[in-house]
Coordinates of all heavy atoms in Angstrom, one line a residue:
Chain A
L3 N -3.3 -29.4 -26.6 CA -3.9 -28.9 -27.8 C -4.0 -27.4 -27.9 O -4.6 -26.9 -28.8 CB -5.0 -29.7 -28.2 CG -4.7 -31.0 -29.0 CD1 -5.8 -31.8 -29.1 CD2 -4.0 -30.7 -30.2
P5 N -2.9 -23.9 -28.7 CA -1.9 -23.5 -29.6 C -0.7 -22.8 -28.9 O 0.5 -23.1 -29.4 CB -2.5 -22.5 -30.5 CG -4.0 -22.7 -30.3 CD -4.3 -23.3 -29.0
V13 N 9.0 -24.5 -29.3 CA 10.3 -23.7 -29.2 C 11.2 -24.5 -28.3 O 12.3 -24.5 -28.6 CB 9.9 -22.3 -28.4 CG1 11.2 -21.6 -28.1 CG2 9.1 -21.5 -29.4
V16 N 13.0 -27.2 -30.2 CA 13.8 -26.5 -31.2 C 15.0 -26.1 -30.6 O 16.2 -26.4 -31.0 CB 13.1 -25.4 -32.0 CG1 14.1 -24.6 -32.7 CG2 12.2 -25.9 -33.0
L23 N 23.0 -29.9 -31.0 CA 23.8 -29.9 -32.1 C 25.1 -29.1 -31.8 O 26.2 -29.4 -32.1 CB 22.9 -29.3 -33.2 CG 23.4 -29.4 -34.7 CD1 23.3 -31.0 -35.1 CD2 22.6 -28.6 -35.6
R49 N 35.4 -22.9 -39.2 CA 34.1 -22.6 -39.9 C 32.9 -23.1 -39.1 O 31.9 -22.4 -39.2 CB 34.2 -23.2 -41.3 CG 35.1 -22.6 -42.3 CD 35.2 -23.1 -43.5 NE 36.1 -22.3 -44.4 CZ 36.5 -22.7 -45.5 NH1 36.0 -23.8 -46.1 NH2 37.3 -22.0 -46.3
Y52 N 31.2 -20.4 -36.9 CA 30.1 -19.6 -37.5 C 28.7 -20.3 -37.1 O 27.7 -19.6 -36.7 CB 30.3 -19.3 -38.9 CG 31.5 -18.6 -39.1 CD1 32.7 -19.0 -39.4 CD2 31.3 -17.2 -39.1 CE1 33.7 -18.2 -39.9 CE2 32.3 -16.3 -39.5 CZ 33.6 -16.8 -39.8 OH 34.7 -16.0 -40.2
L53 N 28.7 -21.6 -37.3 CA 27.3 -22.3 -37.2 C 26.9 -22.3 -35.8 O 25.8 -22.0 -35.6 CB 27.5 -23.7 -37.7 CG 26.3 -24.5 -37.6 CD1 25.2 -24.0 -38.3 CD2 26.6 -26.0 -38.1
T56 N 25.7 -18.9 -34.8 CA 24.4 -18.6 -35.4 C 23.4 -19.3 -34.6 O 22.2 -18.8 -34.3 CB 24.3 -18.9 -36.9 OG1 25.5 -18.4 -37.4 CG2 23.2 -18.3 -37.5
W60 N 20.2 -17.5 -32.3 CA 18.8 -17.8 -32.6 C 18.2 -18.5 -31.4 O 17.1 -18.1 -31.0 CB 18.6 -18.6 -33.8 CG 18.6 -17.8 -35.1 CD1 19.5 -18.0 -36.0 CD2 17.8 -16.7 -35.4 NE1 19.2 -17.1 -37.1 CE2 18.1 -16.3 -36.7 CE3 16.7 -16.2 -34.9 CZ2 17.6 -15.2 -37.4 CZ3 15.9 -15.1 -35.6 CH2 16.5 -14.7 -36.8
M67 N 11.9 -15.0 -26.3 CA 10.5 -14.7 -26.7 C 9.7 -15.7 -26.0 O 8.5 -15.5 -25.8 CB 10.5 -14.9 -28.3 CG 11.0 -13.8 -29.0 SD 10.6 -13.8 -30.8 CE 11.8 -14.9 -31.3
L71 N 6.1 -15.4 -23.9 CA 5.0 -16.2 -24.4 C 4.4 -17.0 -23.2 O 3.4 -17.1 -23.0 CB 5.4 -17.1 -25.6 CG 4.2 -17.7 -26.4 CD1 3.4 -16.7 -26.9 CD2 4.7 -18.8 -27.1
S78 N -3.4 -15.9 -20.1 CA -4.7 -16.1 -20.8 C -5.3 -17.3 -20.4 O -6.5 -17.5 -20.6 CB -4.4 -16.1 -22.4 OG -3.8 -17.4 -22.7
G81 N -8.6 -18.2 -17.3 CA -10.1 -18.4 -17.3 C -10.4 -20.0 -17.2 O -11.6 -20.3 -17.0
Q82 N -9.5 -20.9 -17.6 CA -9.8 -22.2 -17.8 C -9.5 -23.0 -16.4 O -9.7 -24.2 -16.4 CB -8.8 -22.8 -18.8 CG -9.3 -22.1 -20.1 CD -8.4 -22.7 -21.3 OE1 -7.8 -23.8 -21.2 NE2 -8.3 -21.9 -22.4
V84 N -10.4 -23.3 -12.2 CA -11.1 -22.9 -11.1 C -10.2 -22.0 -10.2 O -9.4 -22.5 -9.7 CB -11.7 -24.0 -10.5 CG1 -12.7 -23.5 -9.2 CG2 -12.5 -24.8 -11.4
D163 N -9.4 -29.1 -13.6 CA -10.5 -28.9 -12.5 C -9.9 -28.7 -11.2 O -10.6 -28.7 -10.2 CB -11.2 -30.3 -12.5 CG -12.3 -30.2 -13.6 OD1 -12.8 -29.0 -13.8 OD2 -12.7 -31.2 -14.1
Chain C
R230 N -15.7 -21.9 -18.7 CA -14.6 -22.7 -18.8 C -14.5 -23.7 -20.0 O -13.7 -23.9 -20.7 CB -14.3 -23.4 -17.5 CG -12.9 -23.2 -17.0 CD -12.7 -23.8 -15.7 NE -13.2 -24.9 -15.3 CZ -14.1 -25.0 -14.3 NH1 -14.4 -23.9 -13.5 NH2 -14.7 -26.2 -14.0
D233 N -14.1 -21.9 -23.1 CA -12.9 -21.4 -23.2 C -12.0 -22.5 -23.7 O -11.3 -22.3 -24.7 CB -12.3 -20.8 -21.9 CG -11.4 -19.8 -22.0 OD1 -11.3 -19.3 -23.1 OD2 -10.8 -19.5 -21.0
S237 N -10.1 -23.2 -27.6 CA -8.6 -23.2 -27.7 C -8.3 -24.6 -28.2 O -7.4 -24.9 -29.0 CB -7.8 -22.8 -26.5 OG -8.4 -23.4 -25.5
W238 N -9.1 -25.7 -27.8 CA -8.8 -27.0 -28.3 C -9.1 -27.1 -29.9 O -8.3 -27.6 -30.7 CB -10.0 -27.9 -27.6 CG -9.7 -29.4 -27.9 CD1 -8.9 -30.3 -27.2 CD2 -10.3 -30.1 -29.0 NE1 -8.9 -31.4 -27.9 CE2 -9.8 -31.3 -28.9 CE3 -11.3 -29.9 -29.9 CZ2 -10.2 -32.4 -29.8 CZ3 -11.6 -30.7 -30.7 CH2 -11.2 -32.1 -30.7
G241 N -6.4 -25.5 -31.5 CA -5.3 -26.4 -31.5 C -5.4 -27.4 -32.4 O -4.5 -27.9 -33.2
E282 N 32.9 -11.5 -45.8 CA 33.3 -12.5 -44.9 C 32.2 -13.5 -44.7 O 31.0 -13.3 -45.1 CB 33.5 -11.7 -43.5 CG 34.6 -12.3 -42.6 CD 34.0 -13.0 -41.4 OE1 33.0 -12.7 -40.8 OE2 34.3 -14.2 -41.2
M287 N 26.3 -15.0 -44.3 CA 25.3 -15.6 -43.6 C 24.2 -14.4 -43.3 O 23.0 -14.8 -43.2 CB 25.9 -16.1 -42.3 CG 26.6 -17.4 -42.4 SD 27.2 -18.1 -41.0 CE 25.8 -19.2 -40.5
F291 N 20.5 -14.4 -44.2 CA 19.5 -14.2 -43.2 C 18.4 -13.2 -43.6 O 17.2 -13.3 -43.4 CB 20.2 -13.8 -41.9 CG 19.4 -12.9 -41.1 CD1 18.4 -13.5 -40.2 CD2 19.4 -11.6 -41.0 CE1 17.7 -12.8 -39.2 CE2 18.6 -10.8 -40.1 CZ 17.7 -11.4 -39.3
L344 N -0.6 -12.4 -27.4 CA -0.4 -13.8 -27.4 C -0.6 -14.6 -28.7 O 0.1 -15.4 -29.2 CB -1.1 -14.4 -26.3 CG -1.1 -16.0 -26.0 CD1 0.2 -16.3 -25.4 CD2 -2.2 -16.4 -25.1
F351 N 5.5 -17.9 -33.9 CA 6.3 -19.1 -33.4 C 5.9 -20.2 -34.6 O 6.8 -21.0 -34.8 CB 6.0 -19.5 -32.2 CG 6.9 -18.9 -31.2 CD1 6.4 -18.4 -29.9 CD2 8.3 -18.9 -31.4 CE1 7.3 -17.7 -29.1 CE2 9.2 -18.3 -30.4 CZ 8.6 -17.7 -29.3
F352 N 4.7 -20.3 -34.9 CA 4.3 -21.4 -35.8 C 4.7 -21.2 -37.1 O 4.9 -22.2 -37.9 CB 2.8 -21.5 -35.8 CG 2.4 -22.6 -34.7 CD1 2.0 -22.3 -33.5 CD2 2.4 -23.9 -35.1 CE1 1.6 -23.2 -32.5 CE2 2.1 -24.8 -34.1 CZ 1.6 -24.5 -32.8
V359 N 14.7 -22.0 -38.7 CA 15.3 -23.2 -38.1 C 15.7 -24.0 -39.3 O 16.9 -24.6 -39.3 CB 14.5 -23.9 -37.1 CG1 15.2 -25.2 -36.7 CG2 14.4 -23.1 -35.7
I362 N 18.9 -22.6 -41.2 CA 20.2 -22.2 -40.6 C 21.4 -23.0 -41.1 O 22.4 -22.4 -41.6 CB 20.2 -22.4 -39.1 CG1 19.3 -21.2 -38.5 CG2 21.6 -22.3 -38.4 CD1 19.1 -21.3 -37.0
I363 N 21.2 -24.3 -41.1 CA 22.4 -25.2 -41.5 C 22.7 -24.9 -43.1 O 23.7 -24.9 -43.5 CB 22.1 -26.6 -41.1 CG1 22.3 -26.6 -39.6 CG2 23.1 -27.6 -41.8 CD1 22.0 -28.0 -38.9
W366 N 24.5 -21.9 -43.5 CA 25.9 -22.0 -43.1 C 26.8 -22.9 -44.1 O 27.8 -22.4 -44.5 CB 26.0 -22.7 -41.7 CG 27.3 -23.1 -41.3 CD1 28.3 -22.2 -40.8 CD2 27.8 -24.4 -41.2 NE1 29.3 -22.9 -40.6 CE2 29.1 -24.2 -40.8 CE3 27.3 -25.7 -41.6 CZ2 30.0 -25.3 -40.7 CZ3 28.2 -26.8 -41.4 CH2 29.6 -26.6 -41.0
I370 N 30.1 -21.1 -46.1 CA 31.5 -21.6 -45.9 C 32.2 -21.9 -47.2 O 33.3 -22.5 -47.1 CB 31.8 -22.6 -44.9 CG1 30.8 -23.9 -45.3 CG2 31.4 -22.2 -43.4 CD1 31.2 -25.1 -44.4
D372 N 34.6 -22.0 -50.1 CA 36.0 -21.5 -49.9 C 36.1 -20.2 -50.8 O 35.6 -20.3 -51.9 CB 36.8 -22.5 -50.7 CG 37.2 -23.5 -49.7 OD1 37.5 -23.2 -48.5 OD2 37.4 -24.7 -50.0

Side-chain angles (χ1 to χ4, degrees):
Chain A
L3 275 170
V13 173
V16 164
L23 196 66
R49 289 179 176 170
Y52 288 96
L53 177 62
T56 316
W60 279 116
M67 288 191 279
L71 191 67
S78 85
Q82 296 177 24
V84 180
D163 279 331
Chain C
R230 229 175 31 243
D233 213 12
S237 39
W238 185 87
E282 213 254 316
M287 289 184 85
F291 155 79
L344 180 69
F351 272 130
F352 266 97
V359 173
I362 288 179
I363 291 180
W366 171 73
I370 57 165
D372 280 323

